[in-house]
Amino acid sequence: MELELKNISVKLSNKEILKSINLKVNNGEFISLLGASGCGKSTMLKTIAGIIKQNEGSILLGGNLADKIPAHKRKTVIVFQDFRLFPHMTVAENISFPLKMMGTNKTKCREKAIELLEKVQLKGFENRHIDELSGGQMQRVALARALAAEPTVLLLDEPFSSLDINLRKNMRELVLSLQKEYKITTLLVTHDQEEALTMSHRIAFIHNGQIEQYDSPENIFKHPVNTLVADYFAEGVYIDGDIIDNKFISGLFTLDANKDNGKYKCLVRPLAVKVKKAEKGCFKVLDKIFQGDNYLLKLSNIDKKLNLESIISAPVDILEGDLVDVDLDKERLIFIPE
């Protein structure tokens, strides 16, 4: 179902948490709400679900105004980080609870629970109790319970953050698979940039209660609108300069840049820095850090007081203390207007 937020503002304890949020999510789309803790992501999810009432603006579901629809009737279902399963119920009873609330008979409730357990790869777990499950298994039960409610919009509030790396990867794959199968419009709250980049059709980057950029993963990574967005995905070095007649001119270098005239910051990320060992190189390798498949080199140009980082593939014969020449990959440079 299509979801749209129009000028949504939320105040809690006299503090403005969300500020005139506008967001449109297409039917069946997977959207990540990305940003640091406290930026308003979870509040936005709870507002969509009707748990928190907005002070201003409107929520539309399928083009229809949802503001006066109570939370239990919106069919916008949240999976919380802490799962919120009922410890006194079996796995099957937990999953079928939403169906029971809708008046579904006991036999059909159990049949649906068993069907969904197979979907979340927990076949045969229907009679277990919650305290017999691992964290990853509880996560799958919470997801199955959410699907049992037949949501038109599925809301995921940092559901993977308590899982270890391997479980997190498996759960991401499972959620994506089910989301595609059921074609559910889905919003994921996360502060993990990798999670957002790999799972989403689009990402809404949120800072201080406002959406800074709403774009595809590729565009938000390669074409951030400001330094806040850029730094969240990959840090680098900023070089101030001007673009005049399609050339970026700074005190350090001049190169072609197909941008409008004006003042810019050129972001040089490590992958944009290419190095070559040279006896009379302009940069000195201050440190060489092993990162598994590659090395991170920390470089310094003493004359111009410029520090850069470069990522190079292993193995490589460049060592700490060596001199190197530096070349910039123009395709990986990012120009952010001031």
Side-chain angles (χ1 to χ4, degrees):
M1 180 174 287
E2 184 181 277
L3 166 70
E4 187 171 4
L5 308 185
K6 288 188 171 183
N7 300 314
I8 292 292
S9 294
V10 173
K11 286 184 180 179
L12 299 174
S13 302
N14 292 322
K15 182 181 178 182
E16 197 169 23
I17 308 298
L18 298 178
K19 306 168 185 177
S20 297
I21 295 289
N22 288 282
L23 182 78
K24 188 171 183 179
V25 182
N26 297 323
N27 183 34
E29 200 171 13
F30 194 112
I31 301 299
S32 285
L33 306 179
L34 179 69
S37 297
C39 70
K41 307 184 300 293
S42 293
T43 298
M44 193 185 305
L45 225 61
K46 291 172 185 175
T47 305
I48 292 167
I51 297 170
I52 292 175
K53 175 68 177 173
Q54 69 267 26
N55 297 90
E56 294 178 11
S58 296
I59 297 170
L60 279 71
L61 292 169
N64 298 313
L65 196 64
D67 296 344
K68 294 183 180 179
I69 301 175
H72 67 282
K73 291 185 177 180
R74 284 195 188 187
K75 296 183 80 68
T76 51
V77 178
I78 295 186
V79 177
F80 290 99
Q81 181 180 345
D82 58 2
F83 313 141
R84 303 194 183 183
L85 299 172
F86 302 119
H88 62 286
M89 294 183 183
T90 65
V91 166
E93 288 168 344
N94 264 280
I95 293 171
S96 60
F97 182 78
L99 297 173
K100 182 182 176 182
M101 292 296 98
M102 291 187 281
T104 306
N105 70 55
K106 194 172 183 179
T107 301
K108 287 188 177 179
C109 281
R110 187 170 177 82
E111 287 175 355
K112 187 65 175 178
I114 291 171
E115 175 193 327
L116 287 169
L117 277 170
E118 192 164 351
K119 292 284 187 186
V120 299
Q121 301 166 9
L122 288 178
K123 186 177 180 180
F125 278 63
E126 57 268 20
N127 295 323
R128 295 199 190 186
H129 283 84
I130 299 306
D131 60 5
E132 299 177 282
L133 304 180
S134 67
Q137 290 165 346
M138 285 191 281
Q139 177 67 81
R140 291 168 191 261
V141 173
L143 180 59
R145 185 177 64 181
L147 294 174
E150 299 180 348
T152 54
V153 178
L154 180 62
L155 306 169
L156 305 172
D157 192 4
E158 299 201 51
F160 315 126
S161 59
S162 63
L163 305 178
D164 65 39
I165 292 172
N166 290 330
L167 272 177
R168 199 178 308 157
K169 182 176 181 292
N170 291 338
M171 279 305 301
R172 287 175 188 171
E173 291 173 355
L174 177 62
V175 166
L176 280 177
S177 174
L178 292 170
Q179 192 266 341
K180 289 175 183 176
E181 180 180 346
Y182 287 91
K183 298 179 174 61
I184 305 173
T185 303
T186 302
L187 278 78
L188 169 71
V189 162
T190 182
H191 59 263
D192 186 322
Q193 57 269 51
E194 181 189 352
E195 204 161 85
L197 288 170
T198 56
M199 295 186 73
S200 316
H201 294 115
R202 286 189 286 175
I203 298 169
F205 182 82
I206 303 167
H207 175 74
N208 195 25
Q210 296 177 300
I211 295 177
E212 296 287 334
Q213 188 168 354
Y214 185 37
D215 216 330
S216 69
E218 187 172 356
N219 278 340
I220 208 167
F221 184 85
K222 292 183 176 179
H223 307 291
V225 295
N226 57 35
T227 57
L228 280 171
V229 179
D231 289 343
Y232 202 88
F233 287 94
E235 292 185 355
V237 174
Y238 289 100
I239 296 169
D240 293 327
D242 297 275
I243 291 181
I244 302 171
D245 297 333
N246 295 324
K247 285 193 179 296
F248 177 77
I249 302 167
S250 73
L252 298 168
F253 56 78
T254 297
L255 49 78
D256 294 336
N258 187 21
K259 298 282 184 180
D260 293 335
N261 289 352
K263 290 190 175 297
Y264 285 79
K265 287 183 178 292
C266 176
L267 173 56
V268 184
R269 287 172 170 163
L271 283 173
V273 180
K274 307 300 178 185
V275 298
K276 184 178 180 181
K277 195 171 179 179
E279 287 186 11
K280 297 182 179 180
C282 297
F283 283 80
K284 184 177 181 179
V285 179
L286 300 180
D287 202 1
K288 179 182 178 181
I289 302 168
F290 180 62
Q291 297 188 144
D293 291 330
N294 54 55
Y295 288 92
L296 176 68
L297 300 182
K298 292 183 176 289
L299 313 170
S300 178
N301 180 328
I302 299 172
D303 292 341
K304 296 184 178 179
K305 297 180 180 178
L306 174 64
N307 294 320
L308 294 175
E309 292 182 347
S310 175
I311 291 176
I312 57 175
S313 299
V316 70
D317 64 348
I318 296 174
L319 303 174
E320 184 179 330
D322 284 347
L323 295 178
V324 295
D325 280 332
V326 164
D327 189 26
L328 299 180
D329 183 347
K330 296 176 184 177
E331 297 301 314
R332 292 183 181 271
L333 297 178
I334 295 170
F335 297 96
I336 300 174
E338 290 200 38

